[in-house]
Amino acid sequence: MKKKVTAAAAIALFTLSGCSGKDAPEASGPAAGDLLVTTPAAAGELDAATWNLPFGEPASLDPIKAFNYPENTVVANLCEGLMKLESDYSISPNLATKVDTPDDKTYVYTIRDGVKFWDGQAMTVDDVAYSLNRHLDPKEGSYWADGAVSGNIESVKASGDHQVTVKLKKADASFNSYMVTPLGSVIEEKQRKEAGSDFGTPSEKVMCTGPFSVAGWDQGQSITLEKNANYWNTKKQAKTKSLKISFIVDPSAISNALTTGEIDGSYDVPLSAVSSLSGSTSGQLLYGKSLQLVGAIGTGEGPFNDPAVRRALYSGLDREAIAATVFEGTATASRSLVPNNGWSYGADIFGAAREKLPAGKPDLEAAKAEIAKAKIDTSEPIRIAYPSERTFYADIISEMSNVATELGLKIEPVGLPSAKYGAFFSDPAAREGYGAFMTTNYMDVPDPLAYLRTIVGKDGSQNYSGYDNPEINKLLDEAAVITDDAERATKVAQIESLAINDVPWIPVVDPAVRLYLNDRVTGVPASFVYLYYPWAADLGAAAK
């Protein structure tokens, strides 16, 4: 049962709990089995609705530039992939009707006939091949370029009237699942080339096949989507004719707009709005199955780069208290680098393996035993960066500092403007002088192999510290060629256990999706699929 406390009370309780666990609140995160996958289906259609993006305005609508919450949440309704991620995390055919794998490095996609772009032009295999090849063209600047997935593509070719063939450099059992992401999104080649450098911007926008087109983009204010009446999938026609998506980021303004009905709904409502929205009489705050993780990413610098220091901080941190207080019971304590239930296969195996990992209660004696093994100069302060406008990170670092003090360490929290903080993910120079930085991270696809590979693989796209464990690297390679789900899950669970022992990241909590809907709308998924699933197409009128 979710524990409801006010934010102020929560912080006070959290501070008093300290790191010992004494008098700490009981774990109150939503039980994984209670988290919603979707909301009640719409009872009717709407002429218009409003939505909000709490993380701000998208920088682009080009799918290859969609790599964060604002862009993905909009683009998911415009541009479709060859495959589709469903609300329950299963994967189904979409613009491709099927995929054949004649060998473990070849994927042959049969392209759906009868699909048209918003302008009425038929989608061709050339459009599909062109769209996938954009990730391989440095001039296109794909945010999905390189890495373990697109960097593993040897070639993409139209191989028949309705076939596109992708050849990989080496086998990867997780490859097809990425066709639900912008890696597999299809755009119209002709419009892309005519738009030039303005493609995806308010002036040129994009041309895709999804259930909504772009009716307008009022820069700095909102984007308006319009129902695609000629959408190929007649069973998934949008139930709302016009959807205005605003970019309000101030928590108080968001809460007020939602409770007054100015905005009909929002994913990821701010934590500071949880208390007020929980008591709303005009709508509901719902909690969904998530693929998110809040934690501290190591940079490879200072005392934090010593595994003994990380293990000590992790062991002493009261993650259950943080889940119950800072997150007001809307999260559960992390016990792995893989978010709870972040898998679409091997549920029994991953679930059992997770239960064997340390729970979220602090163990200060174990922490002291670990810090005694440290080989690095622990007198140097550990500087941890976070985006200053998201104060819950400061609360987490405060608790970590309490643990550090008990262990003879010192932590310096450093709040930064979002623009400067954002550079931590792309610019090594921005990370210089910091031992770690806080993040709310998410899995691109519900596959622990794919996610762990980015964090603990030697060349992982999110391995910012240069973490290199030969045993893990070997197991990652072995798991990538296993096509049997149960066998692969068993191998990946081994990696999961080894990784949490070294904690290259310190996972803190697994937050639930926080979805608010006012009483007049319903139908959207509640799970964390809205970055890649056309959630707005399901939005419609609630039953009266």
Side-chain angles (χ1 to χ4, degrees):
M1 180 177 179
K2 186 173 77 69
K3 183 175 181 177
K4 295 181 180 179
V5 292
T6 65
I11 294 171
L13 182 59
F14 171 70
T15 303
L16 287 171
S17 72
C19 60
S20 67
K22 184 179 180 181
D23 298 328
E26 295 182 359
S28 56
D34 295 336
L35 294 175
L36 298 172
V37 171
T38 189
T39 58
E45 299 190 353
L46 294 168
D47 286 332
T50 58
W51 203 263
N52 188 56
L53 297 179
F55 291 105
E57 183 173 13
S60 171
L61 295 183
D62 183 350
I64 71 172
K65 304 289 177 62
F67 207 68
N68 208 342
Y69 287 86
E71 292 81 15
N72 287 108
T73 306
V74 178
V75 171
N77 298 291
L78 306 174
C79 306
E80 301 178 287
L82 295 182
M83 310 299 285
K84 186 170 74 170
L85 184 64
E86 303 289 355
S87 300
D88 62 358
Y89 297 159
S90 62
I91 292 174
S92 63
N94 199 38
L95 294 182
T97 57
K98 67 172 183 175
V99 54
D100 295 306
T101 51
D103 60 64
D104 60 6
K105 293 191 290 186
T106 304
Y107 289 77
V108 181
Y109 292 94
T110 298
I111 306 304
R112 188 178 299 277
D113 197 13
V115 177
K116 293 182 178 179
F117 292 103
W118 305 327
D119 63 1
Q121 296 298 308
M123 183 188 76
T124 68
V125 291
D126 291 331
D127 289 310
V128 176
Y130 172 77
S131 298
L132 269 58
N133 270 314
R134 292 183 70 212
H135 299 287
L136 311 184
D137 182 355
K139 295 179 181 177
E140 290 292 282
S142 171
Y143 291 1
W144 294 80
D146 300 322
V149 185
S150 63
N152 188 33
I153 296 175
E154 179 70 37
S155 65
V156 180
K157 293 181 180 177
S159 51
D161 291 342
H162 296 285
Q163 279 190 349
V164 169
T165 298
V166 180
K167 286 190 175 293
L168 304 182
K169 297 172 184 174
K170 62 180 182 180
D172 177 10
S174 71
F175 176 78
N176 185 55
S177 63
Y178 275 89
M179 292 300 101
V180 308
T181 75
L183 265 172
S185 291
V186 178
I187 62 166
E188 186 183 84
E189 179 179 3
K190 178 174 177 288
Q191 187 263 344
R192 163 67 191 99
K193 291 180 175 176
E194 290 176 349
S197 60
D198 289 334
F199 182 69
T201 69
S203 62
E204 291 294 341
K205 306 182 184 66
V206 294
M207 184 59 63
C208 293
T209 66
F212 283 96
S213 62
V214 185
W217 186 345
D218 183 2
Q219 207 161 4
Q221 298 298 317
S222 64
I223 289 175
T224 300
L225 308 187
E226 182 178 63
K227 176 181 178 179
N228 175 12
N230 298 314
Y231 186 44
W232 63 269
N233 189 344
T234 55
K235 296 180 180 177
K236 297 293 289 184
Q237 288 277 347
K239 296 177 174 60
T240 298
K241 292 179 182 177
S242 177
L243 180 65
K244 181 180 178 181
I245 301 178
S246 57
F247 317 134
I248 303 172
V249 297
D250 178 75
S252 297
I254 292 172
S255 179
N256 184 60
L258 288 170
T259 52
T260 61
E262 178 186 344
I263 299 171
D264 289 307
S266 174
Y267 289 109
D268 297 302
V269 297
L271 280 171
S272 59
V274 165
S275 293
S276 61
L277 293 177
S278 294
S280 172
T281 58
S282 59
Q284 278 189 294
L285 182 59
L286 306 168
Y287 300 105
K289 189 176 176 182
S290 182
L291 295 173
Q292 298 166 293
L293 172 80
V294 174
I297 300 178
T299 65
E301 289 202 17
F304 201 87
N305 197 39
D306 189 323
V309 171
R310 297 194 300 269
R311 278 194 291 266
L313 291 173
Y314 183 62
S315 296
L317 190 62
D318 194 341
R319 304 187 301 281
E320 289 191 354
I322 293 172
T325 56
V326 177
F327 285 81
E328 300 202 42
T330 67
T332 54
S334 296
R335 57 197 306 174
S336 166
L337 290 169
V338 178
N340 195 15
N341 280 304
W343 42 78
S344 59
Y345 63 93
D348 291 345
I349 295 168
F350 284 122
R354 183 182 181 85
E355 290 302 312
K356 295 178 182 178
L357 300 176
K361 291 187 179 300
D363 186 339
L364 194 56
E365 293 307 312
K368 290 178 178 177
E370 287 294 341
I371 201 65
K373 303 174 187 174
K375 298 177 181 177
I376 204 165
D377 178 10
T378 55
S379 65
E380 179 184 346
I382 300 170
R383 302 180 78 213
I384 301 181
Y386 69 99
S388 53
E389 68 270 26
R390 302 198 179 277
T391 56
F392 66 89
Y393 287 132
D395 295 333
I396 294 172
I397 299 174
S398 174
E399 174 62 359
M400 200 177 291
S401 295
N402 292 338
V403 177
T405 300
E406 292 282 344
L407 300 174
L409 301 169
K410 183 178 181 182
I411 287 177
E412 286 184 8
V414 183
L416 298 171
S418 284
K420 190 172 183 179
Y421 163 80
F424 276 63
F425 294 88
S426 58
D427 184 2
R431 301 191 290 269
E432 289 181 2
Y434 294 92
F437 57 105
M438 301 302 300
T439 186
T440 298
N441 209 267
Y442 58 81
M443 305 174 76
D444 287 323
V445 293
D447 184 340
L449 168 62
Y451 190 56
L452 286 171
R453 186 168 56 195
T454 70
I455 298 172
V456 298
K458 181 180 178 182
D459 300 316
S461 59
Q462 299 194 96
N463 181 356
Y464 301 100
S465 65
Y467 175 76
D468 185 4
N469 183 323
E471 185 177 6
I472 286 180
N473 293 331
K474 176 175 177 289
L475 289 170
L476 286 170
D477 288 342
E478 292 173 356
V481 301
I482 299 174
T483 54
D484 180 81
D485 285 348
E487 188 180 345
R488 187 167 70 257
T490 301
K491 184 79 71 175
V492 175
Q494 284 183 259
I495 301 169
E496 183 180 13
S497 178
L498 289 169
I500 199 62
N501 187 54
D502 282 348
V503 281
W505 294 14
I506 292 183
V508 180
V509 297
D510 300 346
V513 171
R514 301 184 298 274
L515 165 66
Y516 183 86
L517 293 175
N518 72 21
D519 289 338
R520 83 180 192 103
V521 302
T522 186
V524 299
S527 65
F528 192 72
V529 295
Y530 54 89
L531 297 191
Y532 305 126
Y533 174 92
W535 54 270
D538 296 341
L539 182 70
K544 295 182 179 178

